[in-house]
Amino acid sequence: MKSYTEYLTFTLPARMAFKNITPTIEEIVAKSGVQEGLLLCNAMHITASVFINDDEPGLLADYARWLEDLAPFDASPERYAHNRTGEDNADAHHKRQIMGREVVVAITQGKLDFGPWEQIFYGEFDGRRPKRVLVKVLGE
Amino acid sequence: MKSYTEYLTFTLPARMAFKNITPTIEEIVAKSGVQEGLLLCNAMHITASVFINDDEPGLLADYARWLEDLAPFDASPERYAHNRTGEDNADAHHKRQIMGREVVVAITQGKLDFGPWEQIFYGEFDGRRPKRVLVKVLGE
Amino acid sequence: MKSYTEYLTFTLPARMAFKNITPTIEEIVAKSGVQEGLLLCNAMHITASVFINDDEPGLLADYARWLEDLAPFDASPERYAHNRTGEDNADAHHKRQIMGREVVVAITQGKLDFGPWEQIFYGEFDGRRPKRVLVKVLGE
């Protein structure tokens, strides 16, 4: 059994933003030498997501507006009890639950075993600072 | 270490529909020969889900209505920027984020290690065409 | 390859409640003897979740109120078709889909490979009775 671990750091320039990280993950799969296995990719911060969907700018804009409807940014401590701690990012903790923390992807014949439109995104909901993503490959 | 991969294809007759695929997944576990391991089952399309919940028709009808409330179908390009591309399925990309892309299930003593009511569903949000689901088993 | 499986039972005293189970999961990792691998932790019941977020009481109160907004408790069979079966917990099946069934966590150098604030929670949406959580470790 082989295992391989890498940590990525992203500093996205906006509070909410999405970045396609698929090319980086493909490089990690190649470096791992794993032919058949599973890959875990997760946000290590609790106001960010890793998810799989379509790399289409309109869709990403739709997600941003929808998430803002479901869990609006509001720095005041009235709407979110979490913001009584001095934080202003309670909304980001909610947005992350909708979009998810992690993806698990099959590796088959040395490659991400993806459907035609699957792309891995880092989703940031409290950005403008460096945050980490973990990638772990297990297999042989 | 053993690994085993299979691809399933489903053509559901409605735009939104749910199909219990547990018996098929159980057959795949048996074919894999894995006694202790993990099973990944994921939609390979980005307008579909794989999720685990109860096989009760009322609940599935409740999910359909709830998802329609949270992300209504609207083919026009006014509500969803994604539909400016000529697609009409932006709602399906949102519904899939609520229900999830994938499940990871333990295999113990050669079987899906499930609680009493756990069933694996394929969730379709833009149906009436063939779409694929990946199943990968890793273990020994 | 090593694998290790354990079942936890929780009886939370409220209908909706959250419990930080990270210390218990850390003990299981130690017992497993796995240095490099993956850990799956999932609710075995379909009205409960396992998720990763911040152990901050205000945030957990925010989650409870938000989930109640997105999928209100209503025992009557009018709002939820599922409750026509005699159940009163359709809301709990919906809340669990938002918060998720499972987490997959990397184990690196014999420990949960976590960011600074990541904590594993059991999320209960139909409590006051014993319910099980599965933990499976795979690696070497």
Side-chain angles (χ1 to χ4, degrees), chain B residues 24-43:
Chain B
T24 306
I25 307 302
E26 286 170 340
E27 286 168 26
I28 291 172
V29 173
K31 278 190 269 183
S32 76
V34 167
Q35 293 295 304
E36 298 292 323
L38 295 175
L39 177 144
L40 168 68
C41 181
N42 68 266

Side-chain angles (χ1 to χ4, degrees), chain A residues 29-91:
Chain A
V29 172
K31 277 190 269 183
S32 76
V34 167
Q35 293 295 303
E36 297 292 323
L38 296 175
L39 177 142
L40 168 69
C41 182
N42 68 267
M44 300 183 78
H45 292 253
I46 53 195
T47 52
S49 288
V50 172
F51 67 94
I52 287 175
N53 218 294
D54 194 5
D55 195 355
E56 197 282 299
L59 180 65
L60 299 173
D62 290 335
Y63 279 151
R65 203 182 45 223
W66 181 63
L67 292 167
E68 198 58 35
D69 280 349
L70 289 174
F73 171 71
D74 185 341
S76 81
E78 279 79 39
R79 183 191 293 260
Y80 297 114
H82 181 57
N83 290 346
R84 291 176 203 156
T85 62
E87 296 280 358
D88 67 0
N89 64 5
D91 67 301

Side-chain angles (χ1 to χ4, degrees), chain A residues 36 52 56 62 65 108 113, chain B residues 7 79 81-82 96 136:
Chain A
E36 297 292 323
I52 287 175
E56 197 282 299
D62 290 335
R65 203 182 45 223
T108 305
D113 198 343
Chain B
Y7 306 92
R79 181 190 294 261
H82 181 56
R96 121 73 171 255
K136 186 139 199 152

Side-chain angles (χ1 to χ4, degrees), chain A residues 1 3 5 7 40 43-44 46 70 79-82 85 93-94 96-98 101-102 104 134 136 138, chain C residues 1 36 52-54 56 58-59 62-63 65-66 98-99 103-104 106-108 113-115 117-118 140:
Chain A
M1 212 200 72
S3 72
T5 310
Y7 306 92
L40 168 69
M44 300 183 78
I46 53 195
L70 289 174
R79 183 191 293 260
Y80 297 114
H82 181 57
T85 62
H93 290 272
H94 291 65
R96 124 69 172 257
Q97 289 306 121
I98 296 285
R101 167 186 179 261
E102 78 217 11
V104 176
L134 179 152
K136 186 136 200 155
L138 201 71
Chain C
M1 213 201 72
E36 297 292 324
I52 288 175
N53 217 295
D54 194 4
E56 197 282 299
L59 180 65
D62 290 335
Y63 279 150
R65 203 182 45 224
W66 182 63
I98 296 285
M99 299 304 278
V103 296
V104 177
I107 298 173
T108 305
D113 198 342
F114 265 170
W117 303 102
E118 288 190 283
E140 69 178 9

Side-chain angles (χ1 to χ4, degrees), chain B residues 10-70:
Chain B
F10 300 105
T11 308
L12 299 200
R15 189 171 180 86
M16 179 156 44
F18 303 107
K19 182 181 171 62
N20 186 341
I21 62 174
T22 315
T24 306
I25 307 302
E26 286 170 340
E27 286 168 26
I28 291 172
V29 173
K31 278 190 269 183
S32 76
V34 167
Q35 293 295 304
E36 298 292 323
L38 295 175
L39 177 144
L40 168 68
C41 181
N42 68 266
M44 300 184 78
H45 292 252
I46 53 195
T47 51
S49 288
V50 172
F51 67 93
I52 288 174
N53 217 293
D54 193 5
D55 195 355
E56 196 283 299
L59 180 65
L60 299 173
D62 291 335
Y63 278 151
R65 203 181 46 224
W66 182 64
L67 292 167
E68 199 58 36
D69 280 348
L70 289 174

